[in-house]
């Protein structure tokens, strides 16, 4: 039998069963699921005083916290606290928000919710740090931008899936489409998380599938020079080289045939004379 506690584990607040403390009080034994862990006692963030004798009871407590958290408004709490506090304890926050009759289950629910949304609050040692108005504004802007990017990514992926792109694309949409084209042509050199979330295909299969869809859309062609792109072979002459050609003497030019309108590949390296 042990007490339910909230513990900082791997930078996350986790519900555990507290089993015992060391003689010097510096370490504690806790059980998470069926694994017993030895942790620094200072990692215990909140003691609930709820005693349990089975893992099922810990699950029930977690479900109770989840139900309570659905009715908690973190923005409302932040507006209430930010004018007066910079840091606050969990118990103090619970009393201010839930009232003097607040329970440790309610406080645990509040702490678990804060741990999933760092917009308004963060943890500083065993206290809660209250974000400034500027910090909240910056975080909300980043969240909005991230959501906009996610929606744009999904929009372009839907275009590709249905093999129809609605032009014109804005700058953000063009950037995402180019990112997808780069993955389809260069594979591992580009991030693939976006495509793998809802796709069970292996990376090479996914790359080929995207390439074929982009060909049907007209964004790529069957004869696209994949090996040239993968090997990073330059497709344009350097400005210095072009300037050198323009400065050749007329006599020298008489013996040259202009093939600049043709796609040309060479096996020679940059140092070849």
């Amino acid at each position: 039998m042990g007490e339910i506690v909230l513990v900082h584990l791997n930078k996350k607040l986790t519900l555990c069963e507290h089993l015992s403390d060391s003689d010097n009080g510096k370490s504690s034994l806790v059980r998470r699921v069926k694994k017993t862990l030895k942790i620094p006692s200072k990692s215990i963030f909140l003691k609930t005083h709820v005693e349990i004798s089975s893992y099922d009871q810990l699950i029930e407590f977690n479900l109770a916290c989840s139900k309570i958290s659905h009715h908690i408004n973190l923005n409302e709490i932040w507006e209430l606290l930010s004018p007066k506090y910079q840091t606050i304890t969990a118990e103090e926050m619970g009393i201010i928000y839930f009232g003097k009759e607040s329970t440790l289950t309610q406080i645990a629910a509040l702490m678990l919710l804060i741990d999933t949304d760092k917009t308004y609050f963060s943890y500083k040692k065993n206290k809660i740090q209250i974000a400034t108005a500027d910090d909240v504004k910056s975080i909300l802007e980043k969240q909005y931008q991230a959501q906009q990017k996610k929606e744009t990514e999904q929009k372009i992926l839907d275009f590709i899936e249905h093999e129809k792109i609605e032009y014109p694309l804005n700058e953000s949409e063009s950037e995402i489409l180019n990112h997808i084209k780069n993955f389809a042509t260069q594979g591992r050199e580009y991030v693939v998380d976006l495509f793998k979330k809802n796709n069970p295909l292996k990376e090479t299969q996914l790359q080929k599938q995207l390439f074929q869809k982009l060909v049907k859309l007209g964004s790529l062609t069957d004869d696209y020079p994949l090996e040239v792109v993968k090997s990073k072979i330059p497709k344009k002459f350097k400005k210095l080289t072009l300037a050198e050609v323009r400065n050749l003497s007329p006599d020298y030019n008489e013996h040259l045939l202009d093939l600049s309108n043709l796609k040309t590949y060479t096996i020679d390296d940059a140092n070849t004379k």
Side-chain angles (χ1 to χ4, degrees):
M1 178 180 285
E3 176 190 1
I4 297 176
V5 291
L6 268 177
V7 178
H8 282 295
L9 282 179
N10 300 322
K11 298 182 180 181
K12 269 186 75 177
L13 270 185
T14 306
L15 286 171
C16 296
E17 180 186 1
H18 179 222
L19 302 175
S20 64
D21 294 316
S22 62
D23 292 338
N24 60 13
K26 290 185 178 180
S27 63
S28 301
L29 285 180
V30 297
R31 183 182 291 123
R32 180 175 177 267
V33 190
K34 295 181 180 180
K35 190 175 182 180
T36 300
L37 306 169
K38 183 179 181 180
I39 62 168
S41 295
K42 62 183 180 181
S43 295
I44 296 177
F45 181 76
L46 180 72
K47 294 184 176 182
T48 66
H49 304 307
V50 175
E51 297 288 332
I52 60 172
S53 56
S54 70
Y55 179 63
D56 288 342
Q57 290 173 299
L58 186 64
I59 294 175
E60 288 173 9
F61 185 89
N62 190 28
L63 290 173
C65 288
S66 181
K67 287 180 181 178
I68 293 169
S69 68
H70 291 321
H71 303 285
I72 298 174
N73 187 322
L74 292 181
N75 178 62
E76 184 181 292
I77 303 174
W78 176 77
E79 289 181 344
L80 187 66
L81 297 176
S82 59
K84 300 177 183 178
Y85 300 90
Q86 290 183 328
T87 59
I88 193 170
T89 66
E91 289 83 356
E92 289 169 341
M93 183 182 282
I95 290 171
I96 291 171
Y97 185 67
F98 293 109
K100 292 183 179 179
E101 302 302 319
S102 63
T103 66
L104 285 167
T105 305
Q106 289 175 319
I107 295 171
L110 176 55
M111 295 304 105
L112 287 168
L113 182 60
I114 288 173
D115 194 55
T116 62
D117 182 354
K118 300 295 196 310
T119 305
Y120 304 98
F121 306 99
S122 58
Y123 294 107
K124 187 176 182 180
K125 295 184 178 179
N126 270 15
K127 285 192 173 185
I128 298 100
Q129 178 89 34
I130 299 169
T132 65
D134 286 342
D135 287 341
V136 170
K137 182 180 178 182
S138 176
I139 292 169
L140 289 175
E141 284 177 353
K142 288 178 181 177
Q143 288 176 349
Y144 174 77
Q145 290 168 2
Q147 181 60 32
Q148 289 294 104
K149 182 181 179 183
K150 184 178 179 181
E151 290 175 3
T152 301
E153 289 171 344
Q154 190 56 56
K155 180 180 179 180
I156 297 300
L157 287 175
D158 288 343
F159 283 165
I160 294 172
E161 181 62 31
H162 296 99
E163 299 177 2
K164 183 180 179 181
I165 293 182
E166 296 177 8
Y167 290 102
L169 300 179
N170 61 35
E171 184 179 347
S172 177
E173 291 167 344
S174 296
E175 184 181 339
I176 297 298
L177 179 58
N178 285 332
H179 177 82
I180 294 172
K181 286 165 67 175
N182 285 330
F183 168 69
T185 56
Q186 300 188 46
R188 289 188 174 276
E189 294 185 26
Y190 287 83
V191 178
V192 295
D193 291 348
L194 167 65
F195 316 113
K196 297 184 82 170
K197 285 177 184 175
N198 301 312
N199 201 312
L201 294 177
K202 291 182 180 179
E203 186 173 319
T204 51
Q205 293 174 315
L206 183 56
Q207 184 185 354
K208 289 178 181 178
Q209 185 187 78
L210 280 169
F211 185 89
Q212 290 164 359
K213 286 184 176 292
L214 288 168
V215 168
K216 289 180 180 179
L217 281 168
S219 295
L220 292 173
T221 59
D222 278 322
D223 60 351
Y224 185 86
L226 282 173
E227 294 307 318
V228 173
V229 175
K230 287 181 180 179
S231 302
K232 298 182 180 178
I233 297 172
K235 292 185 284 183
K236 293 183 179 180
F237 287 106
K238 294 180 181 178
K239 290 181 180 179
L240 186 63
T241 304
L242 294 174
E244 184 181 346
V245 171
R246 285 193 293 268
N247 292 327
L248 289 173
S249 67
D251 293 339
Y252 189 77
N253 278 334
E254 288 179 4
H255 303 287
L256 297 179
L257 178 62
D258 186 0
L259 300 177
S260 58
N261 63 322
L262 300 178
K263 288 185 178 180
T264 308
Y265 307 100
T266 176
I267 61 171
D268 300 325
D269 63 27
N271 297 318
T272 301
K273 300 294 183 181

